[in-house]
Amino acid sequence: MKKDKKALTLKTLNKSNVWDLQENDIFRLWDAAEKDADMRDSIRHYLDIIKSAFDVEELPDDKPEIIKKYEERGYKLGLLKMDDSSKNKWAIKKRPILRVTDLTYENIRHITTTKLLEVIDRNFGGGWDSLSQSIQDIIESGFDISTTTLPKERLRKPGGMYEKKVEDGFEVLEIAKGLWVEAIFAKAKPEVERPRLMFDNDEPNEETGNEDEDIEIDDKYDTPEEDEDEFDEDKLTEESYRTTFEADPEDLNYEAEGISDDYED
């Protein structure tokens, strides 16, 4: 699920791939972009992207006690150039993903399956159904998920779902529920590139061989002559209102379906 960090630049950074980076990578990309003439006008934009995955703070001063305080909190310190005149010292720390509420569509593909199950397990041990639908949707955008709840002694029955899922590469989180156990199976989905929307033919036309030939679409709904379906009050007949079907009343057995003619309030 990791991508090539070396291919990233400040200009290609977005709120998804920024999760692939660590603190030192941010300082490196920023330093590499300092000579870019466009950087000055886009500083706020780049900072907003970085802040979607990192806690970023400008140090009030560079006193040793201030620096030590940030380092103890897990921040990495470095210089970031914000204008042409000077570089300021900044503290940067990658945001941890500890709770299910930390999961987003941007970061879900940048964590391991093991990490995901740890986060789910931290959710008060409630299991899959304890997660909100929005969180489930986020998780399932990056992982294949399936669950089963069985008596403990039957969960790992040979040839059962547990064994088949593990053989298929799924990792498992087991959540005890009394004498039963809920098993949550998870496996990262392969990333698939979105197909490009093409309006021109990539392949030559088989009949004409013309690569640039336009395809004409006959839009029958935009043809002036097609007036036959226009609404006409004079054409309304009893058949126009027929919404029922003919049947012999004796063939309708309401009692057999648990429906009676008696209705009690």
Side-chain angles (χ1 to χ4, degrees):
M1 300 179 73
K2 296 294 182 183
K3 300 177 180 60
D4 185 4
K5 294 185 291 186
K6 294 181 181 179
L8 292 177
T9 67
L10 207 59
K11 283 188 173 182
T12 60
L13 212 57
N14 58 52
K15 291 185 178 181
S16 176
N17 62 25
V18 69
W19 285 94
D20 282 324
L21 303 179
Q22 299 303 321
E23 294 86 354
N24 290 334
D25 298 317
I26 299 298
F27 290 115
R28 176 177 57 80
L29 293 184
W30 198 279
D31 185 63
E34 283 184 2
K35 296 180 181 179
D36 193 321
D38 297 332
M39 180 179 175
R40 180 172 53 188
D41 297 330
S42 304
I43 284 178
R44 181 56 54 189
H45 169 69
Y46 298 139
L47 274 179
D48 287 342
I49 291 175
I50 293 170
K51 287 179 178 180
S52 69
F54 293 82
D55 291 322
V56 180
E57 296 185 31
E58 184 177 8
L59 271 64
D61 56 58
D62 57 356
K63 293 180 180 179
E65 58 268 26
I66 298 295
I67 293 176
K68 182 179 180 182
K69 178 181 177 181
Y70 277 94
E71 289 177 339
E72 289 175 347
R73 293 166 57 192
Y75 283 83
K76 300 291 184 182
L77 278 63
L79 297 175
L80 296 180
K81 186 175 182 179
M82 294 295 156
D83 53 50
D84 293 333
S85 60
S86 63
K87 286 185 176 182
N88 300 328
K89 184 159 285 190
W90 288 74
I92 299 179
K93 182 174 70 172
K94 185 79 169 282
R95 287 184 179 174
I97 300 175
L98 301 175
R99 301 174 296 274
V100 292
T101 51
D102 294 327
L103 298 172
T104 67
Y105 284 106
E106 287 76 23
N107 65 29
I108 191 63
R109 285 190 174 273
H110 301 274
I111 62 173
T112 64
T113 307
T114 301
K115 178 67 175 179
L116 171 68
L117 294 180
E118 288 176 359
V119 172
I120 294 176
D121 191 30
R122 239 181 245 122
N123 191 48
F124 309 109
W128 180 252
D129 289 337
S130 70
L131 304 177
S132 67
Q133 186 60 54
S134 60
I135 296 298
Q136 290 183 9
D137 291 343
I138 289 173
I139 293 173
E140 291 182 323
S141 71
F143 293 84
D144 286 321
I145 300 290
S146 57
T147 67
T148 187
T149 302
L150 292 169
K152 186 176 181 179
E153 64 275 9
R154 290 179 50 197
L155 181 63
R156 302 196 184 196
K157 182 180 179 181
M161 179 179 182
Y162 192 107
E163 184 178 279
K164 292 178 180 178
K165 287 291 183 182
V166 171
E167 290 177 352
D168 196 29
F170 282 78
E171 294 185 34
V172 192
L173 169 64
E174 297 180 25
I175 299 176
K177 296 185 174 181
L179 298 178
W180 293 60
V181 175
E182 177 182 5
I184 302 176
F185 304 93
K187 182 170 72 169
K189 289 181 177 179
E191 291 199 51
V192 179
E193 290 188 10
R194 295 180 180 179
R196 292 182 301 145
L197 185 60
M198 300 297 293
F199 292 96
D200 296 324
N201 292 332
D202 286 335
E203 300 295 333
N205 185 283
E206 293 181 359
E207 297 180 1
T208 65
N210 186 353
E211 294 182 328
D212 298 323
E213 182 178 352
D214 293 330
I215 300 176
E216 295 185 2
I217 300 176
D218 183 15
D219 188 354
K220 67 178 182 179
Y221 298 105
D222 195 34
T223 306
E225 293 78 28
E226 297 291 339
D227 297 327
E228 298 166 0
D229 292 334
E230 286 188 4
F231 179 77
D232 188 344
E233 290 187 9
D234 296 335
K235 293 182 180 180
L236 291 177
T237 66
E238 182 180 355
E239 289 297 323
S240 303
Y241 295 94
R242 182 175 298 238
T243 58
T244 60
F245 57 90
E246 297 181 1
D248 190 333
E250 294 182 358
D251 294 336
L252 301 177
N253 188 352
Y254 294 100
E255 295 294 332
E257 296 296 330
I259 305 174
S260 71
D261 293 332
D262 297 331
Y263 178 83
E264 294 183 4
D265 267 337

